[in-house]
Amino acid sequence: MGGTEEKHATGSGRPTSRDVARLAGVSHTAVSFVFNGRAEGNLSPATQERIRRAAAELGYRPDPVARGLRRRRTAVIGLVTDEIASSPFAGRLLRGAMETAWDSEHLVLTIDSGGDPAKEDAAVAELLDRRVDGIIYAAMSLRRVRVPEGLHRTHSVLANCLPDDGSLPAVIPAERAGGRTAARLLLDEGHRRMAVVGGQDDIASADRLRGFRDALRAEGITVPKEWVVRSGGEITGGYQGALSVLDGVPADQRPTGVFCYNDRVAAGVLHAATRLGVAVPGELSVVGYDDQEHMAEFLTPPLTTVALPHRAMGDAAARLLLDAIDTGRTPPATVRRLACPVISRASVGPAPSR
């Protein structure tokens, strides 16, 4: 009898598949079939259930290292990202990827590169040395990225970013559709005079504004040039941008709705409205973007916003990667866009009648 089984027989050590076989009254091969996914067609459902009950009673878990060696896999995927420590959205993306990987009996080994290309290359090389089954490369703000060296040597998927050479599959938010959604929130409440505040020289800003204008154009509405204020992505930018379209403007000539680049900008807009004595949502409706955790729901009033699907992106990227690992086929270098859902709160109301 092997040493491991002897240890278990005396009440110590880890239970083995042979212990399970003895308790269930089946062959060791039958136990292997159950835990290697080959039971269907080889064992009756009753026998499979008896083996699983015996395993549960003994607290038996298959050895992941041994199983990985048989399959030539490690049951670990890597995740390299640029700013886990500083991004408020990193936790959501990570949770989505980790939970999906866990459901498929994979662990996620995560490395934060701090956005340093040399560290990204080193991180990918380290993961490859550890024989991970595949790698997710994630950015915390939507942008085109240089594909780190080595990423093409294994199954790889991008999350919340696009490869600058178009060589890998990517999962990103449907930003243009999100801009259309924001517009519909205001249009459906009767708003016709609308401003856009905030934004940067990035993909998200351009796509959100394009989608917003798409929806307004379909209703025969245009946004005056002076009501599109590119004031960055911070609270101060939202505050200054709101003042530029509201301060000193008669109520019947100012916008009744504002679409903000993100929730931080929206916080600045709400602050400016309070200073100017403009009631939200009675006189001005405000739509944010991102659904920033610990912020959007605590503003006054709580912010209606279009959420970025970070958790869904982590889940979708992990599923795409795990499918590639299971099939051994590299997925096509296509872009999958995920819907940005509405989070309705209290900052949007009917357009004032005047």
Side-chain angles (χ1 to χ4, degrees), residues 247-282:
D247 195 12
V249 182
D252 62 350
Q253 295 177 32
R254 69 191 181 207
T256 63
V258 178
F259 172 41
C260 302
Y261 168 67
N262 63 21
D263 294 345
R264 294 190 298 277
V265 169
V269 171
L270 292 175
H271 179 41
T274 298
R275 179 189 161 185
L276 297 173
V278 177
V280 177

Side-chain angles (χ1 to χ4, degrees), residues 9-333:
T10 60
S12 63
R14 177 175 176 160
T16 70
S17 57
R18 294 188 185 280
D19 295 323
V20 175
R22 276 197 297 272
L23 182 59
V26 298
S27 69
H28 178 245
T29 300
V31 175
S32 296
F33 279 165
V34 167
F35 291 103
N36 288 328
R38 297 170 56 199
E40 292 304 317
N42 289 309
L43 299 173
S44 70
T47 300
Q48 294 179 48
E49 179 60 23
R50 193 162 73 250
I51 291 169
R52 294 188 189 282
R53 281 201 306 268
E57 182 178 333
L58 292 171
Y60 168 75
R61 287 173 57 84
D63 185 337
V65 174
R67 185 169 54 183
L69 289 172
R70 286 193 297 273
R71 298 181 179 181
R72 296 188 177 182
R73 297 180 190 171
T74 58
V76 176
I77 61 177
L79 193 153
V80 178
T81 186
D82 53 0
E83 47 181 299
I84 291 173
S86 59
S87 170
F89 307 110
R92 296 181 188 178
L93 193 148
L94 284 172
R95 282 196 297 272
M98 293 175 74
E99 288 176 5
T100 298
W102 181 260
D103 288 343
S104 295
E105 299 182 328
H106 276 71
L107 298 178
V108 178
L109 180 57
T110 304
I111 303 177
D112 185 342
S113 72
D116 182 334
K119 287 184 179 178
E120 289 177 349
D121 291 344
V124 171
E126 182 69 24
L127 291 170
L128 292 173
D129 285 347
R130 292 173 183 269
R131 303 290 193 271
V132 296
D133 294 338
I135 297 175
I136 297 170
Y137 177 89
M140 289 304 139
S141 60
L142 179 60
R143 58 189 175 89
R144 291 199 174 273
V145 298
R146 159 195 166 271
V147 177
E149 289 182 17
L151 214 56
H152 294 103
R153 290 170 49 197
T154 187
H155 298 297
S156 298
V157 176
L158 304 189
N160 203 35
C161 54
L162 295 164
D164 58 6
D165 59 2
S167 62
L168 291 172
V171 181
I172 65 171
E175 298 280 19
R176 188 168 182 174
R180 289 194 293 269
T181 297
R184 287 264 38 117
L185 285 169
L186 296 169
L187 288 167
D188 289 349
E189 292 290 348
H191 294 273
R192 294 298 180 266
R193 298 197 308 276
M194 288 171 271
V196 179
V197 174
Q200 307 176 93
D201 184 19
D202 61 8
I203 295 171
S205 293
D207 281 357
R208 291 172 194 179
L209 179 58
R210 192 175 295 119
F212 190 77
R213 282 178 159 155
D214 287 345
L216 266 59
R217 192 179 302 114
E219 301 290 335
I221 300 169
T222 58
V223 181
K225 185 177 179 180
E226 62 272 21
W227 285 1
V228 177
V229 186
R230 287 292 184 92
S231 55
E234 298 304 322
I235 293 174
T236 53
Y239 179 78
Q240 294 297 332
L243 290 181
S244 73
V245 298
L246 297 175
D247 195 12
V249 182
D252 62 350
Q253 295 177 32
R254 69 191 181 207
T256 63
V258 178
F259 172 41
C260 302
Y261 168 67
N262 63 21
D263 294 345
R264 294 190 298 277
V265 169
V269 171
L270 292 175
H271 179 41
T274 298
R275 179 189 161 185
L276 297 173
V278 177
V280 177
E283 298 175 272
L284 181 73
S285 288
V286 179
V287 178
Y289 209 106
D290 289 353
D291 192 30
Q292 186 164 333
E293 211 165 16
H294 310 306
M295 180 181 184
E297 65 183 306
F298 299 109
L299 294 171
T300 305
L303 185 66
T304 291
T305 188
V306 179
L308 281 173
H310 280 98
R311 189 165 187 155
M313 280 191 288
D315 167 70
R319 288 185 189 281
L320 195 59
L321 185 63
L322 291 164
D323 285 347
I325 292 166
D326 286 343
T327 63
R329 293 194 296 271
T330 301

